[in-house]
C-alpha cells in the first residue's frame, strides 16, 4: 500500500501539499539517455496554474532539482531523484477545517486510514500538488520514448457538456499530438476552447466547479508490447491514471461506446498497408489482449468537478461526530481538466516505457 | 510482465484454452478460513456456459481440484492451488485459422509478443476460459470477505442499448446483492431480462454478437481501507478488472457521468446517521482518495461485443502478410456479459481482500 | 509474505508434504525455448531419494505433469505450470507428534504463524519435499541458460568435517560442472565420497544426522548483468538459496575467508587475456557491486544437519504448554546435502535467468 | 533491477557519491509513530567517519533533511523522504582513474551495466556513501521497533584474525545491545578493541586494508513472524544485508558452524520457561522455517577488506583494453567494519519491521 509504481520503471512519489518538499525517484531507467531539462520545464509548465482565471492563484514555480541519476546531461541508469521545494504555502487558510470533511475530498478517509496522523494541510499527500513530480516523471519518460520514435499527447475531450473534436484514432500523427501541447488551453477546436473558457469562468463566478474528459494518444509505439491478464497495457495505464486525483473512469479505444455496437460493427478489420499489418478502424484503441497492435493507442479519462468549491456545504466534523456546515477558504481551481492533460500524458508515458522495459529481449 | 497479481493476495493464473489444464495459485491468504466447496462450485457455475442459447455450447464441467492450501476444510495460510483439467476440446475447429488474425482478438498481437511460440488454439492463454480460475479465486476471496460481513455482487447493467435498473448506490443491501446471484440471467428487472435475451438470440441468429456493461457493488466494507496514489482501491480494482478479456472501460461511482455535473451537484454531502459518518448521495462510489468511505463501493465495467462472429470478416494472414477473408468456425458466445458478471465480482473480491490484508495493523 | 519469487522470472511454489499435489508456476519465461523433458527428469532424479542408505526410503517418483506453457515442445511465453501428485504418503507416521515441536523444525513457528491451521503432516509446506518443484523450475531455467552458453553446476564441498576438493574459481569449465552431475554422489574427489558415505552411514546407524556445504558455480554468464543495492546478483541468489529448507548461511567467492586477508591479498588484479578483461584471481566470486564480472560465479551454502533424528529429544507440547520427550518416527534422511546439490543449482539458475531477463535492452 | 526494497516497508535509495545529494524514500510506514530526530542523528553518527585514523578523512556532516512524511513529530503514514546534500566532494581526486578498473570495485562491471553512462566519481551509486540513507532508514525503523519492545544491536565480531567476544545467543539482553552502541568502537571486549585498532592502524600505515565480521542480534521480536520459502526472515534479511557494499557472506545462528555438528548437537531442544516456549540453546538463530521462534535473532555478515588501497595495483583500462598499473589517490578507510555496524543493524531493522507489517492480521 504505497505511492510506488513498481513496473518496468519504478516511480516512487513523495510529498505533502504544505510540507517542505515533494518529489520522485525514477528507478530502472535506461542509461545514457540525454535529457533536455528545458523541455522538462516546458512539460511541467503545462501543469502549473496560470493567471488566466482558469485555475488556482497559488503560484507554483516548481523548479525540480535533480539530485541524482543524471551525469553529463545523460541518465546514469541508477535512481534519478528530483525534488521540488514547496514555497508559496498558505497553510493558515486551512487551519479551521481540519476535522470537517470537505465533500469529495479524502479528509475523512485519510483520517481513518492514517489514524489521524496524516498531514491534513491542503490535502497533504492526497493533494493534486503531488502530480507535479508525477509530471516530472512523465516528462523524463516522454523524452526516452521520443528517442525511440514514440510520441504521446493529450487534449481536453470535454468540459462538462462542451465537447472538443476527437483525435482521429486511425490517422492521428505525432505532429498533431505535438501541436496541441503548444496551446495554452489544450484543445483541438478553437470554438470549443472559447466555450469551455466561458463555462469555467461562469462556474468560478458562481462559486462552483466543473469536470471533464481528457483524451490521450500514443503513436509510433511498436506492435507486440504488453502482456495478457495482469500486466496488459490497459492494466498498467489504468493503474497509473487512477493515481491522478479526481479520475473516476477510464476507457480504451471505443470504450463504453463499444457496448452499444454489434460485434460486426466493433471488430476492426485487419488489412495490409504499405507492407504492414494495420486495422481499418481503431475501436480497439491500439491494444488487443493487453498487447499493442501497432495502431495508435487511445484512451480517455474522466475527471470529476473540482471538489473544492466556495459555496457552503453540508458536512460532518469527524472528530466530534456532529453535523456541520462547511465553507472552504483558500485558492482553488474551478476546473482541473486543462491542468490534468500533462498528468494523463505522464501516466501514459510511464506505462509505455515500463512496458517496453519489461519486454523480454534476451 | 506476467499473469500474476502481486497485491496483498497473490493470484498467479496459468493455462491455455486447449492445453492440459488451467488453474491458479492463491498465496498469502489468511489461515484458518473455512471454505464451503459447494458454494465455490455454485459461484463458478454462474460463469459456465448454459444450454439456453445465450452462450457457447462448449461444455465446461470445470470442477477445480484443490491440490494444496486446504486442510480439514480450512485454508492453511500457505499457497492454495486449484487445477481444472481441460476435457471438451475441439482443437481441430481452430486448425485452419492459426495465422489469419481474428479481428478484435489477440492472435496477431500474441504472435508478435511471443515470437510465434504461443499456443494459438482457441486463443491460448488469451482465452476467456482463463477466467475460470480467476472466478475460482474470486469465489474463495468472497467467502473470506463474508466471514467479515462484506458482501459483493453484480448484475448486467446493459446489453447493447437495453438497460437494466441500477443498484441504489446509497441503500443497496447484501440481500439484494445475493438475490441477483440466484438468477440464471443476472439482472434486476424481469423486463430487461426478456429484452436482453431476445436481443442476444437475435444477434446469434444473425451471426453477430453484442456487448454490455456490468455493474458491481460491495457493502459492509469498512471505511479507511486503501491508499492514495498507486495502490488505491480504484487502481487495484481496475488492474484486476482489465485482466478479464473484452473489458474496454471502467468507471467508479458516477464515473463518466460526473464529468457532466457541477461540483455542487457531484459533491456528496457528509451527514451523521445512526452515529456514523455517511454521505447523502454516493457519486464517489464509496472511494475517496483511493480509500473506502464506508459507503457502498460501486463500479461499472464495459465489455465489447464478443469478437468471434461467424460472418465472413476481412483480415490478414500475418505469416504470409497477405489480405485474407476469414470465417471463424467453432462454438462461440453471442454475448459474454452475463457470464462476465461473476468474473467482475471476482476481480472486486480479490481487490478488496488484498486491500484488507495490506492494511497496516501492527 | 508468500512462496513467490517475483524477480525477472516469477516462481510461485505450492504444496504440502502430504497434500494432494505440489508444483510450481513459472511466469515470464522467454517464448520459444525448446525444453528437453528427459533432461528435466534427469535433473530432478538427482534430487530424489535413492535406495543407498544415504537418504529417506520414501519413494518419490515425482513425475511432473506440465499443464500449460509448453506447446510443440517449446515454451509459449505464457505461464508454465507443472504439478507433481503426491502418492507415497505415510501420514499416519506423523499422527502422534502434531503438537510436540520437533527441534530445528518449523512445527512450532508454523503453528504460531498460521494460527494452528497449517497442514502439519510431514512438515506441510515447510517440507523439503517442496524443493521438488523448485528443482523442476531450476531444470527449466537451466536449459534456457544453456541455450545462451551458460552452464551451472554444484558439488558437495563438505559433509561435517570431511571436505571435497574445491572448484577452481578461475579455470572451472562447463565440462567439469557437467561431469559432477553424472555422479550418483556429487563430489569431485573419490576419496571424499568414500569418507562422506561412511560418515553418513555411521550417522544413520547412530540415529543421528549430519550437514554440510554445497559449492555452486556458473560459467559463461556474461559480464555486466545485475544491479547495485537491492537487486544485485548476491541479493537475488541469496534470497532464492534461503528458500531451501536447512540453509543457514551463504558466502560468495572467498566469502568469510576474505575477512582474514589483507586488501592487497583479497583484491583481484584485472588483466587482459585473449582480448578480454579478466581477473587473475577470483576472490570476488564473479560479482562486483552486485554485477557479474565475466569470471565464474561461485558461492557456497551451509546446510544444517537434518533435524529429524530418531533419538529421543527434549521438547514441548505447544498446545498443552508442557515439557515432553519426543521420539520421531517415519523415514528420514541422515544427510540432505547430496540431495541439496540440484536444489542449490536451481536457485542459481532461477536467479541468473531472472537477472538476464531484468537486464534493460531497449 | 533497482535500488528499491519492496517488502512490507518500501525503501527506495538514490544518490551518487559525488552527485548533488543522496537520500531515501520510506513508504508504507505505520502512521503516528513519534520519531526522535536526535536519536536518528546519533544512529547516523555511528556510521560517519571519525578522525581517529580508523576511517577516511572525508568529512560527512550528513544531516538529513526530512521533506515529507513527518508531521507534528510523527510519521504521517505517507512516504517519508529524507535528503542529504553532498558537500565535501573532492571529485578531482578521481579524475585520472575513471577507466582503469579499481580491483574489487564495481568500476568495470558498472561501466558494462550502464553502457558507460553511470557516474564514476567516487564509485557513484556503488559508493559506500549510499549507506548513509540506508542507515537513516534503519534508524527510523529502529524507533518503530522500539515502540513495540524490540531492540536490535550489533558489534564487530572480528577484524581480520582478531576476534571479539560473541553475543550470548540465548541470554543476550536489550541493555547489552544498547550498551555497545555507545562505544566509539563497537566491540564487547576492551582487549579486542585495542588489538583491532592496532591492526587497522598498522594496515593503514602499510597502505593496506582489512575486513571483518559484524554480528547482529534482535531481542523482543515476537514469535510467529515470517514465512516459509521466499519471504522468510533469512531471505529478507540477507537480501537487505547484501545491499551493503563489501558484504560477501551471511550466516544465521550457528551458520557455517552447524555444518560441523551432528544433528543431535545442533538441534535446539525446546523447553517451557516461565510459561513460554523457549529453546535451551540457540543454534537456529531465532528463525525456524523462515519464521521467528521468539529466541534472539542472530546473524553474522562478512565484510571484505576495503578495496581502495594506496599501493600500486595491476589492472586494465577497460576503454582502451590495455593492461595498466593503478595508483588510487583520495581518502579511504583502512577498515570499514566498525562503520558497517550500524549499516548491518539498519538492514535488520528494515527487515524486521517489514516482516511485522507483512504479518496478516485481519
Amino acid at each position: 500500500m504505497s505511492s510506488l509504481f513498481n513496473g518496468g520503471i519504478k516511480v516512487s512519489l513523495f510529498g505533502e501539499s504544505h510540507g517542505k518538499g515533494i518529489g520522485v525517484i525514477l528507478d530502472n531507467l535506461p542509461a545514457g539517455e540525454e535529457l533536455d531539462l528545458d523541455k522538462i520545464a516546458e512539460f511541467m509548465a503545462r501543469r502549473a496554474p496560470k493567471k488566466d482565471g482558469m485555475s488556482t492563484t497559488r503560484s507554483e514555480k516548481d523548479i525540480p532539482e535533480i539530485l541524482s541519476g543524471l551525469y553529463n546531461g545523460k541518465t546514469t541508469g541508477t535512481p534519478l531523484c528530483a525534488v521540488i521545494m514547496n514555497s508559496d504555502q498558505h497553510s493558515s487558510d486551512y487551519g479551521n477545517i481540519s476535522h470537517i470533511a470537505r465533500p469529495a475530498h479524502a479528509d475523512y478517509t485519510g483520517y481513518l486510514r492514517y489514524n489521524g496522523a496524516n498531514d491534513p494541510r491542503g490535502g497533504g499527500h492526497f493533494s493534486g500538488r503531488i502530480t507535479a513530480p508525477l509530471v516530472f516523471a512523465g516528462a523524463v519518460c516522454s523524452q526516452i520514448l521520443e528517442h525511440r520514435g514514440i510520441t504521446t499527447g493529450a487534449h481536453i475531450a470535454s468540459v462538462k457538456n462542451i465537447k472538443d473534436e476527437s483525435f482521429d484514432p486511425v490517422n492521428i500523427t505525432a505532429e498533431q499530438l505535438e501541436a496541441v501541447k503548444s496551446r495554452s488551453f489544450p484543445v483541438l477546436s478553437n470554438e470549443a476552447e472559447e466555450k469551455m473558457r466561458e463555462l469555467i469562468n461562469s462556474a468560478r463566478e458562481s462559486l462552483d466547479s466543473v469536470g471533464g474528459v481528457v483524451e490521450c494518444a500514443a503513436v509510433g509505439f511498436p506492435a507486440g508490447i504488453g502482456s495478457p491478464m495482469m500486466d496488459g497495457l490497459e492494466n498498467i495505464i489504468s493503474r497509473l491514471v487512477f493515481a491522478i486525483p479526481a479520475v473516476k473512469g477510464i476507457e480504451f479505444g471505443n470504450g463504453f461506446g463499444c457496448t452499444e455496437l454489434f460485434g460486426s460493427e466493433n471488430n476492426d478489420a485487419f488489412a495490409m498497408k504499405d507492407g504492414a499489418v494495420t486495422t481499418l478502424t481503431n475501436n480497439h484503441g491500439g491494444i488487443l489482449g493487453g498487447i499493442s497492435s501497432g495502431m495508435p493507442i487511445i484512451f480517455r479519462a474522466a475527471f470529476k468537478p473540482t471538489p473544492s468549491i466556495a459555496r457552503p456545504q453540508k458536512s460532518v466534523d469527524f472528530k466530534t461526530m456532529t453535523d456541520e456546515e462547511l465553507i472552504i477558504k483558500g485558492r482553488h481551481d474551478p476546473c482541473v481538466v486543462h491542468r490534468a492533460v500533462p498528468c494523463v500524458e505522464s501516466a501514459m508515458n510511464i506505462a509505455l516505457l515500463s512496458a517496453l522495459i519489461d519486454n523480454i529481449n534476451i
Side-chain angles (χ1 to χ4, degrees), chain A:
Chain A
M1 299 285 258
S2 63
S3 297
L4 165 72
F5 173 75
N6 191 23
I9 300 291
K10 286 94 171 72
V11 181
S12 194
L13 294 157
F14 69 88
E16 283 112 2
S17 181
H18 290 63
K20 279 197 191 166
I22 61 180
V24 62
I25 300 177
L26 278 164
D27 202 346
N28 212 36
L29 290 176
E33 303 285 332
E34 197 157 345
L35 295 186
D36 181 330
L37 301 186
D38 290 338
K39 281 187 69 176
I40 292 176
E42 278 169 35
F43 198 114
M44 294 186 70
R46 292 163 51 211
R47 181 202 151 276
K50 291 172 200 68
K51 299 196 184 300
D52 60 356
M54 297 291 105
S55 43
T56 173
T57 58
R58 176 172 177 168
S59 167
E60 298 182 355
K61 290 267 172 21
D62 285 358
I63 300 166
E65 185 174 23
I66 297 177
L67 299 184
S68 67
L70 196 71
Y71 179 61
N72 291 338
K74 294 182 179 172
T75 57
T76 58
T78 53
L80 190 158
C81 178
V83 168
I84 301 166
M85 300 307 283
N86 283 332
S87 48
D88 184 31
Q89 305 161 11
H90 288 208
S91 301
S92 58
D93 289 351
Y94 297 91
N96 69 331
I97 57 162
S98 58
H99 296 109
I100 303 180
R102 291 172 302 163
H105 272 290
D107 302 336
Y108 169 60
T109 57
Y111 179 83
L112 292 178
R113 167 68 171 82
Y114 299 109
N115 304 320
N118 60 314
D119 180 348
R121 298 169 298 166
H125 188 58
F126 294 88
S127 169
R129 179 140 181 69
I130 314 308
T131 56
L134 181 74
V135 167
F136 172 87
V140 168
C141 294
S142 162
Q143 296 193 21
I144 299 173
L145 291 171
E146 277 170 24
H147 297 167
R148 285 152 184 82
I150 302 160
T151 306
T152 64
H155 72 112
I156 305 174
S158 66
V159 170
K160 206 165 181 286
N161 56 333
I162 315 282
K163 294 200 174 357
D164 191 20
E165 294 162 15
S166 291
F167 284 146
D168 178 332
V170 173
N171 297 310
I172 174 81
T173 65
E175 290 68 32
Q176 289 167 328
L177 294 176
E178 288 301 340
V180 72
K181 289 180 192 167
S182 61
R183 299 183 64 130
S184 67
F185 195 85
V187 287
L188 304 178
S189 145
N190 290 333
E191 194 187 351
E193 172 170 358
E194 199 176 334
K195 287 186 185 167
M196 288 176 184
R197 283 187 182 271
E198 267 170 42
L199 179 66
I200 295 171
N201 269 322
S202 145
R204 183 173 47 78
E205 283 162 11
S206 56
L207 307 184
D208 215 330
S209 67
V210 288
V213 174
V214 173
E215 184 177 55
C216 186
V219 297
F221 194 73
I225 306 295
S227 269
M229 308 298 301
M230 300 295 178
D231 286 336
L233 293 178
E234 287 136 333
N235 309 250
I236 304 174
I237 291 171
S238 65
R239 187 179 169 202
L240 281 156
V241 166
F242 280 112
I244 306 169
V247 173
K248 294 306 279 186
I250 187 167
E251 57 178 9
F252 292 84
N254 209 6
F256 280 87
C258 75
T259 68
E260 307 224 355
L261 299 179
F262 282 113
S264 57
E265 298 167 316
N266 187 62
N267 283 1
D268 298 307
F270 284 99
M272 297 303 304
K273 189 179 167 189
D274 304 333
V277 174
T278 60
T279 59
L280 296 175
T281 48
N282 187 11
N283 292 324
H284 69 287
I287 305 171
L288 288 171
I291 300 171
S292 57
S293 69
M295 295 299 289
I297 296 173
I298 303 213
F299 71 87
R300 279 171 301 284
F303 286 80
K304 68 182 178 188
T306 321
S308 290
I309 55 176
R311 295 185 182 191
Q313 296 182 85
K314 285 187 189 164
S315 187
V316 301
D317 183 313
F318 49 77
K319 214 164 176 187
T320 61
M321 297 295 261
T322 50
D323 288 298
E324 298 282 349
E325 193 181 78
L326 169 76
I327 295 180
I328 300 180
K329 296 178 185 171
R331 302 155 298 177
H332 302 290
D333 297 82
C335 180
V336 295
V337 184
H338 46 300
R339 295 181 61 197
V341 162
C343 300
V344 172
E345 282 177 41
S346 294
M348 171 80 115
N349 293 338
I350 295 167
L352 293 188
L353 184 55
S354 285
L356 273 180
I357 281 180
D358 269 343
N359 189 41
I360 296 182
N361 194 359
I362 64 170

